[in-house]
Amino acid sequence: MVLALTVCGIVVALVVVGLFVFGLRRRLIQRSGGTFDCSLRWDAPEKGDAGGKGWAYGVARYSGDRVEWFRVFSYAPRPRRVLERSAIEVAGRRVPEGEEELALLSDAVIL
């Protein structure tokens, strides 16, 4: 009985510490300012292709001439992707269609 209570206490403590570190990471990313919510699509399919991975929620941060993208559900201290601002070209804008409407935030615009 004592062992079960000890194990449950340790599990609860680990969950609380994990949630604290998760929130602290988000605050540290946002501390420098210039952040915004930004979903990123992995391996976007070509026109007419149904392939590609899906959308991943994230937070993007301006850092000099770069945009650093961090996954929301991660403990990693480094950005998952770094985009050079000079290499970003907006070819068009559109609203989410089909399954994208379910995967993205309600006011999302796809660039």
Side-chain angles (χ1 to χ4, degrees):
M1 181 68 170
V2 172
L3 179 61
L5 288 174
T6 303
V7 169
C8 287
I10 290 171
V11 168
V12 168
L14 288 174
V15 168
V16 168
V17 168
L19 290 173
F20 175 76
V21 170
F22 187 71
L24 179 64
R25 175 185 173 266
R26 175 79 182 228
R27 287 288 177 206
L28 291 174
I29 290 171
Q30 292 178 331
R31 180 178 62 175
S32 63
T35 61
F36 56 96
D37 292 331
C38 176
S39 296
L40 184 68
R41 182 147 190 194
W42 303 112
D43 299 328
E46 296 298 323
K47 206 107 167 128
D49 184 17
K53 294 187 177 180
W55 290 93
Y57 291 119
V59 176
R61 173 178 69 188
Y62 291 109
S63 178
D65 287 338
R66 304 180 321 167
V67 176
E68 300 173 336
W69 185 81
F70 298 83
R71 291 183 72 104
V72 166
F73 301 110
S74 172
Y75 290 108
R78 294 185 179 168
R80 182 73 185 257
R81 291 281 189 260
V82 176
L83 307 169
E84 295 295 329
R85 290 176 75 180
S86 61
I88 298 173
E89 180 180 330
V90 178
R93 297 173 188 247
R94 66 178 178 85
V95 295
E97 302 169 347
E99 293 180 5
E100 291 175 334
E101 291 179 293
L102 301 173
L104 300 174
L105 298 171
S106 61
D107 295 336
V109 175
I110 298 173
L111 302 178

